[in-house]
Amino acid sequence: MYLPDTYLQHPIWLTIDVERVEDANFGITPKKELAIDYPAILDKWDELTLRYGFRSTAFVLGSFARRFPHAVQNLHQKGHEIASHGYDHQLVYQKPFEVWKKETALAKKILEDIIEAPVLGYRSPSWSLPFEKRYYEALVEMGFVYSSSYFPFKTYMYGNTIDKKHPFVIATPSGEITEIPIPKCFIPFSGGFYMRMLPLFITKRLFRCVTNQKIKPIIYTHPYELLPNLLSRFLSQVRLDKAYVLTFANTGESIKRFELILQEYAKGKV
Ligand SMILES: [Zn+2]
């Protein structure tokens, strides 16, 4: 079973899905491009993780890498693993299979041309990869050796009800691939909305719950979650479907939370 170094070397696997806020398919439509300094946010991520001795895996969207190749190269040079988040963040199950395949191969090549090294990992946009063998077989054929596209909690948009907590191997006619699922303890807790909105004492308890079961917690975040007050700063510039307000609420809180969690793990308290 292949597991990336960033997973093996730390008590938590830190991951960041590198995309613009405009890319997220959550009912947010900017009236114009938002003036968000993504390279600066990624520098902040690098500083924060390094402060506690962590390196992360960055699942980068192909379209983001085209806009900000230097930011991607910079992350790579600082020792973060560069992996793929697909090309444009459209949900995989809404695309014809062949289109998804072509775009995913293109997105991988964009990243490899920038970092001049192979890209081994894939995470589908919004955990939307169908849990079907042909998709995993296609990933193997493209040269991916692991995926982290599996969210073991069914939501209105994504996720899966199959209960898997540990990384597992999927055998396909073209070879094997590891899937690294996001662990949960009754509910997911270690990223996105959950990480920002749950009370901190519950978050800490859930991290402990997973660690006590000898499962490695996985933090997943996004650059825009590391930007304080995203909504109030940009509200006048976006059309936001009311149903999705919570998706972008409380941003900036994530960075404080990560710091507290990383501190505890770095000290071996958990
Ligand atoms: Zn994403």
Side-chain angles (χ1 to χ4, degrees), residues 21 40 73-74 170 177 216 260:
V21 71
Q73 202 173 37
N74 202 25
I170 298 171
I177 182 164
K216 192 163 292 200
L260 291 167

Side-chain angles (χ1 to χ4, degrees), residues 190-260:
S190 57
F193 164 80
Y194 304 94
M195 187 78 170
R196 281 179 280 124
M197 302 305 279
L198 287 173
L200 183 61
F201 79 96
I202 293 185
T203 301
K204 283 186 173 177
R205 197 168 287 183
L206 293 172
F207 268 91
R208 222 165 284 146
C209 160
V210 166
T211 302
N212 287 344
Q213 294 176 67
K214 307 254 181 292
I215 301 165
K216 192 163 292 200
I218 300 174
I219 282 183
Y220 59 95
T221 189
H222 304 88
Y224 51 81
E225 291 190 87
L226 308 176
L227 192 70
N229 309 320
L230 175 74
L231 274 189
S232 52
R233 278 169 76 174
F234 293 104
L235 203 56
S236 61
Q237 297 170 36
V238 298
R239 273 188 296 274
L240 180 63
D241 187 328
K242 279 203 184 78
Y244 296 93
V245 166
L246 279 181
T247 307
F248 294 104
N250 225 9
T251 62
E253 184 60 25
S254 330
I255 208 152
K256 290 182 218 150
R257 299 264 173 122
F258 293 144
E259 186 142 15
L260 291 167

Side-chain angles (χ1 to χ4, degrees), residues 7 150 152 162-168 179-186 209-210 213-218:
Y7 181 98
Y150 185 93
I162 303 165
D163 199 14
K164 293 270 191 194
K165 289 175 180 161
H166 293 278
F168 56 102
E179 172 60 44
I180 309 174
I182 301 298
K184 64 174 177 181
C185 181
F186 306 109
C209 160
V210 166
Q213 294 176 67
K214 307 254 181 292
I215 301 165
K216 192 163 292 200
I218 300 174

